[in-house]
């Protein structure tokens, strides 16, 4: 398993330890982490702080030329909101820990030229399955059901 997806998993575990939803993400440019984060909707009372959004936010304001050289690592398939941010900033490559527990907007991203890789990571799958099983209401809220 690669270093950057491990970092995203660590972010997800941090979120879970804080009482949140275990989804983490890392934004990497030219082989260097420039932003990392985890889902903090519960912790911050936020409507938008999914893991990918938090990582992009924590990278700070960047020139469009930087985003175009980035890879976003995320533990879970990006939802429509996060996919929108990926498309808005033209992030060209997304590496996903798993899409078994939730299939996000991968087809949309692919249709717009984003390279998608899914790792089918067993740890990511188990972490989400366990969370969803124990917290169905919070999970449904998080994905807009």
């Amino acid at each position: 398993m690669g270093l950057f997806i491990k970092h995203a998993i660590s972010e997800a575990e941090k979120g879970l330890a804080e009482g949140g939803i275990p989804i983490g993400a890392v934004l990497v440019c030219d082989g260097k982490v420039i932003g990392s984060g985890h889902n903090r909707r519960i912790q911050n009372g936020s409507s938008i702080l999914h893991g990918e959004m938090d990582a992009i936010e924590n990278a700070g304001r960047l020139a469009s030329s930087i985003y175009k050289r980035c890879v976003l690592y995320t533990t879970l398939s990006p939802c429509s909101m996060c996919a929108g941010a990926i498309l808005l900033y033209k992030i060209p490559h997304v590496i996903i820990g798993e899409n078994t527990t939730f299939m996000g907007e991968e087809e949309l991203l692919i249709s717009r030229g984003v390279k998608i890789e899914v790792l089918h990571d067993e740890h990511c799958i188990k972490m989400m399955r366990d969370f969803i099983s124990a917290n169905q209401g919070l999970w449904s809220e998080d994905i807009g059901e």
Side-chain angles (χ1 to χ4, degrees), residues 4 6-7 13 15 23-24 52 55 80 91 112-113 121 142-143:
F4 298 126
K6 284 182 182 177
H7 189 146
E13 290 169 340
I23 303 167
E52 300 92 333
S80 55
I91 297 169
R112 299 283 295 275
D121 182 82
D142 195 64
I143 58 172

Side-chain angles (χ1 to χ4, degrees), residues 78 83-84 86-87 94 105-114 116:
I86 291 163
L87 293 174
V94 179
E105 297 294 335
E106 293 174 33
E107 290 299 321
L108 171 63
L109 292 169
I110 291 167
S111 77
R112 299 283 295 275
V114 177
I116 299 292

Side-chain angles (χ1 to χ4, degrees), residues 6-49:
K6 284 182 182 177
H7 189 146
I9 291 169
S10 175
E11 285 287 340
E13 290 169 340
K14 187 185 306 182
L16 184 61
E18 295 170 355
I21 298 169
I23 303 167
V26 179
L27 187 63
V28 176
C29 184
D30 300 332
K32 179 182 174 196
V33 173
I34 61 171
S36 62
H38 52 275
N39 186 306
R40 293 197 282 173
R41 289 187 67 251
I42 295 167
Q43 300 91 310
N44 289 17
S46 171
S47 59
I48 62 168
L49 277 182

Side-chain angles (χ1 to χ4, degrees), residues 4-27 35-43 47-56 58 72-83 86 94-104 121 123-132 135 138-144:
F4 298 126
I5 195 66
K6 284 182 182 177
H7 189 146
I9 291 169
S10 175
E11 285 287 340
E13 290 169 340
K14 187 185 306 182
L16 184 61
E18 295 170 355
I21 298 169
I23 303 167
V26 179
L27 187 63
S36 62
H38 52 275
N39 186 306
R40 293 197 282 173
R41 289 187 67 251
I42 295 167
Q43 300 91 310
S47 59
I48 62 168
L49 277 182
H50 282 189
E52 300 92 333
M53 302 295 278
D54 194 39
I56 293 168
N58 288 333
L72 180 68
Y73 292 78
T74 179
T75 58
L76 187 64
S77 185
C79 72
S80 55
M81 176 177 64
C82 296
I86 291 163
V94 179
I95 298 177
I96 299 166
E98 68 102 350
N99 63 5
T100 301
T101 61
F102 176 75
M103 174 58 79
D121 182 82
H123 181 73
C124 291
I125 295 168
K126 181 177 179 353
M127 187 168 42
M128 282 310 300
R129 279 190 178 145
D130 291 349
F131 180 83
I132 292 167
N135 302 280
L138 287 175
W139 175 240
S140 293
E141 174 190 323
D142 195 64
I143 58 172

